[in-house]
Amino acid sequence: MRRRTVLAGAAAAAGAVTLGFTPAATAQRPGASRGPELAPGDYPVVGRVRARRGMEHLRVLSERIGQRIGGTESEHRARDYLAGVLRDLRYRVELQPFTVPDKYLSTLTLPDKTRWNAGSSRFGALGVTASGPLVDADTGAALPADLTGRVVLLVNVPSTSTAVYDAVARGAVAVLIGRVATPPAGKSGAFSPTLTSNVAVPVLGIAQVHVERLRAAKPAALTVSTTHHASLTSYNVIADRPATFGGKGVVMVTAHYDSVPGSPGANDDGSGTVLTLELARVLRYLPTHQALRFALWGSEEQGLLGSRHYVSQLTDADAARISGVFQNDMVATSHGPATAYWLLSVDGGDNNTTREVGAAAERLGYDPRVHGPVARGSSDHVPFHERKIASANFSWRGEGGPHELEPLYHTPEDTIAANVSGERLQVSMELIGAAAYRLARARG
């Protein structure tokens, strides 16, 4: 009875889409070099996928929740939201837990009640709040003799500097360490400073934009607080839909939903996360020979921890069933020079995923914008490649190579307003949707 319901729903959805959305599907795609030459299976995907729907989810993740640090309450809020969306789409959802290292985080509060998130040092005081006038000591080469009750800002402090210890010895109640990169290098993000010995005051690692704003605003006072998050559990969110025709293969569409300290992670990787949600919506009733699995990884930013845990739990038989893993990481930046859509396999070789995305690009007229495959790791496709599972990462980056990331990468400015393009998100959704659906329709 359940299978007949799925088949009926699939047929009805496909028919309605083909009839109701053909004009939209056959129009020249956004940013394409020519009109599309679609295969029949492309119509129900490109005719229905909508970046604006993804943007609704992205506003929740990057604006309502904000930073999503692996294993902390912020990531758990995102986990619950994502699981709720997928359950509403009638998927079978599993929350897969795994332990992750402790986190050292902080907040800065300005006199106007503006709050910023940053990192803190495990070598400084934790679980405390400190307030005081701000003193910009730059590199610390000429520290005032008396810093009693002050919050001291140090910028681009050399690793050999004793400035942090000198500031504490002179009475500082907290120390902020910032890094300011010189263009064309990207801006620096928040971090957890490493010291050679413990100090009795909070030591924070703040982002470049925080330094710039502090220097522009010159606040009379600043309040900082630090928190040690211990005994943490992060989660993968996994949604399954069985094959319509009973095949044994599995096609996966994936992304990571956590972010780095201080960053709302709109493009990295809120964009890949909402692409996954939107494709889960569009593909849920379409007929396939292979199962569809949508996986959202926790704690990628700490070393691909979520995807590594998932792959480690696969039996050899389970691994052999996976036909391809389409990993989507940073798929919507609005950075002007990031005009190339890269197919990134670990070894630079072609596989089921890169091959299908390349073919989809040709059918949709996007092929001049698509580059690769070329060799690149650094995302959640790596553990699958190590298990000999066809996989690749897909991302918008500069024409000069996949190393050319947008300058707001991993910063507090990775926001929808500053770093997300609806058009590029739409292109990414169409390419991955058409490619994943074509692979899922193959007998696996």
Side-chain angles (χ1 to χ4, degrees):
M1 183 68 167
R2 170 64 179 161
R3 185 167 177 229
R4 286 200 297 271
T5 302
V6 171
L7 285 168
V17 167
T18 302
L19 292 174
F21 287 89
T22 297
T26 57
Q28 183 159 327
R29 315 314 302 154
S33 61
R34 54 176 169 74
E37 298 175 0
L38 302 182
D42 295 329
Y43 288 94
V45 178
V46 301
R48 292 183 65 216
V49 71
R50 294 288 182 270
R52 62 175 177 78
R53 288 182 176 269
M55 294 291 273
E56 293 171 2
H57 296 305
L58 191 54
R59 278 188 280 274
V60 175
L61 293 173
S62 67
E63 296 178 353
R64 190 185 307 171
I65 298 174
Q67 70 169 9
R68 304 174 296 281
I69 310 304
T72 71
E73 185 272 340
S74 61
E75 189 194 55
H76 295 170
R77 289 177 61 200
R79 171 205 65 193
D80 293 343
Y81 176 77
L82 299 171
V85 170
L86 291 165
R87 287 187 179 116
D88 286 346
L89 291 173
R90 306 293 294 275
Y91 283 90
R92 183 176 69 248
V93 176
E94 174 192 357
L95 300 181
Q96 185 183 55
F98 55 97
T99 58
V100 295
D102 293 3
K103 302 295 181 299
Y104 303 91
L105 304 176
S106 65
T107 59
L108 297 81
T109 306
L110 279 64
D112 64 0
K113 306 303 180 184
T114 297
R115 288 169 58 90
W116 299 333
N117 296 310
S120 64
S121 175
R122 66 185 180 90
F123 299 96
L126 298 167
V128 301
T129 298
S131 300
L134 181 67
V135 174
D136 184 348
D138 198 37
T139 63
L143 283 173
D146 185 6
L147 291 170
T148 302
R150 267 49 175 187
V151 176
V152 176
L153 172 63
L154 298 171
V155 180
N156 291 346
V157 177
S159 59
T160 56
S161 174
T162 62
V164 172
Y165 306 100
D166 293 342
V168 174
R170 298 179 191 197
V173 296
V175 177
L176 314 180
I177 302 176
R179 298 168 179 162
V180 175
T182 303
K187 289 191 171 185
S188 61
F191 62 102
S192 295
T194 299
L195 305 177
T196 56
S197 61
N198 293 338
V199 296
V201 305
V203 179
L204 281 61
I206 65 175
Q208 179 166 336
V209 67
H210 295 150
V211 175
E212 295 167 349
R213 291 175 182 174
L214 286 174
R215 286 180 163 174
K218 296 181 173 59
L222 194 65
T223 298
V224 303
S225 61
T226 57
T227 307
H228 175 198
H229 299 266
S231 302
L232 300 179
T233 301
S234 184
Y235 293 83
N236 294 324
V237 180
I238 302 165
D240 278 298
R241 198 218 78 178
T244 314
F245 302 114
K248 294 182 178 180
V250 179
V251 174
M252 297 184 66
V253 177
T254 68
H256 74 87
Y257 69 96
D258 64 313
S259 72
V260 298
S263 176
N267 187 45
D268 185 18
D269 186 25
S271 62
T273 298
V274 303
L275 176 151
T276 304
L277 292 180
E278 175 63 358
L279 293 187
R281 181 189 72 83
V282 168
L283 298 176
R284 58 182 167 164
Y285 293 133
L286 298 184
T288 64
H289 284 285
Q290 301 190 51
L292 288 168
R293 180 170 300 152
F294 299 90
L296 298 166
W297 312 120
S299 298
E300 184 269 357
E301 298 291 4
Q302 302 163 58
L304 318 181
L305 299 186
S307 56
R308 287 198 180 281
H309 176 76
Y310 175 84
V311 171
S312 74
Q313 303 301 301
L314 293 172
T315 66
D316 289 343
D318 288 337
R321 291 180 58 209
I322 301 175
S323 300
V325 179
F326 297 83
Q327 168 68 17
N328 302 277
D329 200 343
M330 304 168 65
V331 298
T333 181
S334 57
H335 179 52
T339 56
Y341 184 84
W342 287 93
L343 317 182
L344 307 171
S345 59
V346 173
D347 59 3
D350 221 358
N351 61 50
N352 281 351
T353 62
T354 56
R355 192 177 303 114
E356 289 294 357
V357 173
E362 291 187 13
R363 298 195 304 274
L364 273 65
Y366 290 131
D367 43 310
R369 308 180 74 178
V370 174
H371 297 242
V374 299
R376 185 78 174 185
S378 303
S379 194
D380 290 302
H381 59 308
V382 174
F384 291 93
H385 171 82
E386 293 170 348
R387 196 73 182 270
K388 303 187 185 312
I389 298 170
S391 58
N393 181 35
F394 303 92
S395 183
W396 287 99
R397 304 184 183 195
E399 294 281 350
H403 60 284
E404 293 186 353
L405 301 172
E406 70 266 25
L408 303 184
Y409 163 73
H410 276 184
T411 74
E413 295 172 282
D414 184 8
T415 63
I416 294 175
N419 198 32
V420 170
S421 161
E423 178 182 297
R424 287 177 181 166
L425 180 59
Q426 179 72 26
V427 173
S428 299
M429 287 178 171
E430 293 181 8
L431 286 172
I432 299 299
Y437 185 47
R438 184 182 175 100
L439 184 58
R441 286 165 55 227
R443 295 183 184 274

Coordinates of all heavy atoms in Angstrom, one line a residue, residues 345-397:
S345 N 37.1 16.8 -7.1 CA 37.3 15.4 -6.6 C 38.6 15.4 -5.9 O 39.5 16.1 -6.2 CB 37.2 14.4 -7.7 OG 38.1 14.6 -8.7
V346 N 38.8 14.5 -4.9 CA 40.0 14.4 -4.1 C 41.2 14.2 -5.0 O 42.3 14.9 -4.8 CB 39.9 13.4 -3.0 CG1 41.2 13.2 -2.3 CG2 38.8 13.7 -2.0
D347 N 41.1 13.3 -6.0 CA 42.3 13.0 -6.8 C 42.2 13.7 -8.2 O 43.1 13.5 -9.0 CB 42.4 11.5 -7.0 CG 41.1 10.9 -7.7 OD1 40.2 11.6 -8.0 OD2 41.1 9.6 -7.8
G348 N 41.2 14.5 -8.4 CA 41.1 15.2 -9.7 C 40.5 14.4 -10.8 O 40.4 14.8 -11.9
G349 N 40.1 13.1 -10.5 CA 39.6 12.2 -11.5 C 38.1 12.4 -11.6 O 37.4 12.9 -10.7
D350 N 37.6 11.9 -12.8 CA 36.1 11.9 -13.0 C 35.5 10.7 -12.3 O 36.1 9.7 -12.2 CB 35.9 11.8 -14.5 CG 34.8 12.7 -15.0 OD1 34.2 13.4 -14.2 OD2 34.6 12.7 -16.2
N351 N 34.3 10.9 -11.8 CA 33.6 9.8 -11.2 C 32.1 10.0 -11.4 O 31.7 11.0 -12.2 CB 33.9 9.6 -9.7 CG 33.6 10.9 -8.9 OD1 32.4 11.4 -9.0 ND2 34.5 11.3 -8.1
N352 N 31.2 9.2 -10.9 CA 29.8 9.4 -11.1 C 29.3 10.7 -10.8 O 28.4 11.2 -11.6 CB 29.0 8.4 -10.2 CG 29.0 6.9 -10.8 OD1 29.5 6.7 -11.9 ND2 28.6 6.0 -10.0
T353 N 29.8 11.4 -9.8 CA 29.2 12.7 -9.4 C 29.7 13.8 -10.4 O 28.9 14.6 -10.9 CB 29.5 13.0 -8.0 OG1 31.0 13.1 -7.8 CG2 29.0 12.0 -7.0
T354 N 31.0 13.9 -10.6 CA 31.5 15.0 -11.5 C 31.0 14.8 -12.9 O 30.7 15.7 -13.6 CB 33.1 15.0 -11.5 OG1 33.6 13.7 -11.8 CG2 33.6 15.3 -10.1
R355 N 30.9 13.5 -13.3 CA 30.5 13.2 -14.7 C 29.0 13.7 -14.9 O 28.7 14.3 -15.9 CB 30.6 11.7 -14.9 CG 30.4 11.3 -16.4 CD 30.6 9.8 -16.5 NE 32.0 9.4 -16.0 CZ 32.2 8.6 -15.0 NH1 31.2 8.2 -14.3 NH2 33.4 8.3 -14.6
E356 N 28.2 13.4 -13.9 CA 26.8 13.8 -14.0 C 26.6 15.3 -13.9 O 25.7 15.8 -14.6 CB 25.9 13.1 -12.9 CG 25.8 11.6 -13.1 CD 24.9 11.2 -14.4 OE1 24.4 12.1 -15.0 OE2 24.8 10.0 -14.7
V357 N 27.3 16.0 -13.1 CA 27.2 17.4 -13.0 C 27.7 18.1 -14.3 O 27.1 19.0 -14.8 CB 27.9 18.0 -11.7 CG1 27.9 19.5 -11.8 CG2 27.3 17.5 -10.5
G358 N 28.8 17.6 -14.8 CA 29.3 18.1 -16.1 C 28.3 17.9 -17.2 O 28.1 18.8 -18.0
A359 N 27.6 16.7 -17.2 CA 26.6 16.5 -18.3 C 25.4 17.4 -18.1 O 24.8 17.9 -19.0 CB 26.2 15.0 -18.2
A360 N 25.0 17.6 -16.8 CA 23.9 18.5 -16.5 C 24.2 19.9 -17.0 O 23.3 20.6 -17.5 CB 23.5 18.4 -15.0
A361 N 25.4 20.3 -16.8 CA 25.8 21.7 -17.2 C 25.7 21.8 -18.7 O 25.3 22.9 -19.2 CB 27.3 21.9 -16.7
E362 N 26.0 20.8 -19.4 CA 25.9 20.9 -20.9 C 24.4 20.9 -21.3 O 24.1 21.7 -22.2 CB 26.6 19.7 -21.5 CG 28.1 19.7 -21.4 CD 28.7 18.5 -22.2 OE1 28.0 17.9 -23.1 OE2 29.9 18.3 -22.0
R363 N 23.6 20.2 -20.6 CA 22.2 20.2 -21.0 C 21.5 21.5 -20.6 O 20.6 22.0 -21.4 CB 21.4 19.0 -20.3 CG 21.9 17.6 -20.6 CD 21.0 16.5 -20.2 NE 20.7 16.6 -18.8 CZ 21.4 16.0 -17.8 NH1 22.5 15.3 -18.2 NH2 21.0 16.0 -16.6
L364 N 21.9 22.1 -19.6 CA 21.3 23.3 -19.1 C 21.9 24.6 -19.7 O 21.4 25.7 -19.5 CB 21.3 23.4 -17.6 CG 20.2 22.8 -16.8 CD1 20.1 21.3 -17.0 CD2 20.2 23.1 -15.4
G365 N 23.1 24.4 -20.4 CA 23.7 25.6 -21.0 C 24.7 26.3 -20.0 O 25.1 27.4 -20.3
Y366 N 25.1 25.6 -19.0 CA 26.0 26.2 -18.0 C 27.4 25.8 -18.2 O 28.3 26.2 -17.5 CB 25.6 25.8 -16.6 CG 24.3 26.3 -16.0 CD1 23.4 25.5 -15.4 CD2 24.1 27.7 -16.1 CE1 22.2 26.0 -14.9 CE2 22.9 28.2 -15.6 CZ 22.0 27.4 -15.0 OH 20.8 27.9 -14.5
D367 N 27.7 25.0 -19.2 CA 29.0 24.4 -19.3 C 30.2 25.4 -19.4 O 31.3 25.0 -18.8 CB 29.1 23.4 -20.5 CG 28.4 23.9 -21.7 OD1 27.2 24.3 -21.6 OD2 29.0 23.8 -22.8
P368 N 30.1 26.6 -20.0 CA 31.2 27.5 -19.9 C 31.6 27.9 -18.5 O 32.8 28.3 -18.3 CB 30.8 28.7 -20.8 CG 29.7 28.1 -21.7 CD 29.0 27.1 -20.8
R369 N 30.7 27.9 -17.6 CA 31.0 28.3 -16.2 C 31.5 27.2 -15.3 O 32.0 27.4 -14.2 CB 29.7 28.9 -15.6 CG 29.0 29.9 -16.4 CD 27.7 30.4 -15.8 NE 28.0 31.3 -14.7 CZ 27.1 32.0 -13.9 NH1 25.8 31.8 -14.2 NH2 27.5 32.7 -12.9
V370 N 31.5 26.0 -15.8 CA 31.8 24.8 -15.0 C 33.3 24.4 -15.3 O 33.6 24.2 -16.5 CB 30.8 23.6 -15.3 CG1 31.3 22.4 -14.6 CG2 29.4 24.1 -14.8
H371 N 34.1 24.2 -14.3 CA 35.5 23.8 -14.5 C 35.8 22.5 -13.7 O 35.3 22.3 -12.6 CB 36.4 24.9 -13.9 CG 36.2 26.2 -14.6 ND1 37.2 26.9 -15.3 CD2 35.1 27.1 -14.8 CE1 36.8 28.0 -15.8 NE2 35.6 28.2 -15.5
G372 N 36.6 21.7 -14.3 CA 37.1 20.5 -13.6 C 36.5 19.3 -14.3 O 36.0 19.4 -15.4
P373 N 36.8 18.1 -13.6 CA 37.2 18.0 -12.3 C 38.7 18.3 -12.1 O 39.5 18.0 -12.9 CB 36.9 16.5 -11.9 CG 37.0 15.8 -13.2 CD 36.5 16.8 -14.3
V374 N 39.0 18.9 -10.9 CA 40.4 19.1 -10.5 C 40.5 18.6 -9.0 O 39.5 18.3 -8.3 CB 40.8 20.6 -10.5 CG1 40.7 21.1 -11.9 CG2 39.9 21.4 -9.6
A375 N 41.8 18.4 -8.6 CA 42.0 17.8 -7.3 C 41.8 18.8 -6.2 O 42.4 19.9 -6.3 CB 43.4 17.2 -7.3
R376 N 41.0 18.5 -5.2 CA 40.8 19.4 -4.1 C 40.1 18.6 -3.0 O 39.1 17.9 -3.2 CB 39.9 20.6 -4.4 CG 39.8 21.6 -3.3 CD 41.0 22.5 -3.2 NE 40.7 23.5 -2.2 CZ 41.6 24.5 -1.9 NH1 42.8 24.6 -2.6 NH2 41.3 25.4 -1.0
G377 N 40.7 18.6 -1.8 CA 40.1 18.0 -0.6 C 39.3 19.0 0.2 O 38.6 19.8 -0.3
S378 N 39.6 19.0 1.5 CA 39.1 20.0 2.5 C 37.6 20.1 2.6 O 37.1 21.2 3.0 CB 39.7 21.4 2.1 OG 41.1 21.4 2.0
S379 N 36.9 19.1 2.3 CA 35.4 19.1 2.6 C 35.0 17.6 2.8 O 35.8 16.7 2.8 CB 34.6 19.8 1.5 OG 33.3 20.0 1.9
D380 N 33.7 17.4 3.0 CA 33.2 16.2 3.4 C 33.1 15.1 2.4 O 32.7 14.0 2.7 CB 31.8 16.4 4.0 CG 31.8 17.1 5.3 OD1 32.5 16.6 6.2 OD2 31.2 18.2 5.4
H381 N 33.6 15.3 1.2 CA 33.7 14.3 0.2 C 35.0 13.4 0.5 O 35.1 12.3 0.0 CB 33.8 14.8 -1.2 CG 34.9 15.8 -1.5 ND1 35.2 16.9 -0.7 CD2 35.9 15.8 -2.4 CE1 36.3 17.5 -1.1 NE2 36.7 16.9 -2.2
V382 N 35.9 13.9 1.3 CA 37.2 13.2 1.5 C 37.0 11.9 2.1 O 37.6 10.9 1.6 CB 38.1 14.1 2.3 CG1 39.4 13.3 2.7 CG2 38.5 15.4 1.5
P383 N 36.3 11.7 3.3 CA 36.1 10.4 3.8 C 35.5 9.4 2.9 O 35.8 8.2 3.0 CB 35.2 10.6 5.1 CG 35.4 12.1 5.4 CD 35.6 12.8 4.1
F384 N 34.6 9.8 2.0 CA 34.0 8.9 1.1 C 35.0 8.4 0.0 O 35.1 7.3 -0.3 CB 32.8 9.6 0.4 CG 31.6 9.8 1.3 CD1 31.5 11.0 2.0 CD2 30.7 8.8 1.6 CE1 30.4 11.2 2.9 CE2 29.6 9.0 2.4 CZ 29.5 10.2 3.1
H385 N 35.8 9.4 -0.4 CA 36.9 9.0 -1.4 C 37.8 8.0 -0.8 O 38.2 7.0 -1.4 CB 37.6 10.3 -1.8 CG 38.8 10.0 -2.6 ND1 38.8 9.8 -4.0 CD2 40.2 9.9 -2.3 CE1 40.0 9.5 -4.4 NE2 40.9 9.6 -3.4
E386 N 38.2 8.2 0.5 CA 39.1 7.3 1.2 C 38.5 5.9 1.3 O 39.2 4.9 1.4 CB 39.4 7.8 2.5 CG 40.2 9.1 2.5 CD 40.4 9.8 3.8 OE1 39.7 9.4 4.8 OE2 41.2 10.7 3.9
R387 N 37.2 5.8 1.3 CA 36.5 4.5 1.3 C 36.2 4.0 -0.1 O 35.4 3.0 -0.3 CB 35.2 4.7 2.1 CG 34.5 3.4 2.6 CD 35.3 2.7 3.7 NE 34.6 1.4 4.1 CZ 33.7 1.3 5.0 NH1 33.3 2.4 5.7 NH2 33.2 0.2 5.2
K388 N 36.7 4.7 -1.1 CA 36.5 4.3 -2.5 C 35.1 4.4 -3.0 O 34.6 3.7 -3.8 CB 37.1 2.9 -2.8 CG 38.6 2.7 -2.4 CD 39.1 1.4 -2.9 CE 40.5 1.2 -2.4 NZ 41.4 2.3 -2.6
I389 N 34.4 5.5 -2.5 CA 33.0 5.8 -2.9 C 33.1 7.0 -3.8 O 33.7 8.0 -3.4 CB 32.2 6.1 -1.7 CG1 32.1 4.8 -0.8 CG2 30.8 6.5 -2.1 CD1 31.4 5.1 0.6
A390 N 32.4 7.0 -4.9 CA 32.4 8.1 -5.9 C 31.9 9.3 -5.2 O 30.8 9.3 -4.6 CB 31.6 7.8 -7.1
S391 N 32.7 10.4 -5.2 CA 32.2 11.6 -4.4 C 33.0 12.8 -5.0 O 34.1 12.7 -5.5 CB 32.5 11.5 -2.9 OG 33.9 11.2 -2.7
A392 N 32.4 14.0 -4.8 CA 33.1 15.2 -5.1 C 32.4 16.4 -4.4 O 31.3 16.3 -3.9 CB 33.1 15.5 -6.6
N393 N 33.2 17.5 -4.2 CA 32.7 18.7 -3.7 C 32.4 19.7 -4.8 O 33.1 19.7 -5.8 CB 33.7 19.3 -2.7 CG 33.2 20.6 -2.1 OD1 32.0 20.7 -1.8 ND2 34.1 21.5 -1.9
F394 N 31.3 20.5 -4.7 CA 30.9 21.4 -5.7 C 30.8 22.8 -5.1 O 30.2 23.0 -4.0 CB 29.6 21.0 -6.3 CG 29.7 19.6 -6.9 CD1 29.4 18.5 -6.1 CD2 30.2 19.4 -8.2 CE1 29.5 17.2 -6.6 CE2 30.3 18.1 -8.7 CZ 30.0 17.0 -7.9
S395 N 31.5 23.8 -5.8 CA 31.6 25.1 -5.1 C 31.9 26.2 -6.1 O 32.6 26.0 -7.1 CB 32.8 25.0 -4.1 OG 33.0 26.2 -3.4
W396 N 31.4 27.4 -5.8 CA 31.7 28.6 -6.6 C 33.0 29.3 -6.1 O 33.1 29.6 -4.9 CB 30.6 29.7 -6.5 CG 29.4 29.3 -7.3 CD1 28.2 28.8 -6.8 CD2 29.2 29.5 -8.7 NE1 27.3 28.6 -7.8 CE2 27.8 29.1 -8.9 CE3 29.9 30.0 -9.7 CZ2 27.3 29.1 -10.2 CZ3 29.4 30.0 -11.0 CH2 28.1 29.6 -11.3
R397 N 34.0 29.4 -7.0 CA 35.3 30.0 -6.6 C 35.8 30.8 -7.8 O 35.2 30.9 -8.8 CB 36.3 29.0 -6.1 CG 35.7 28.1 -5.0 CD 36.6 27.1 -4.4 NE 35.9 26.4 -3.3 CZ 36.5 25.6 -2.5 NH1 37.8 25.5 -2.5 NH2 35.8 25.0 -1.6

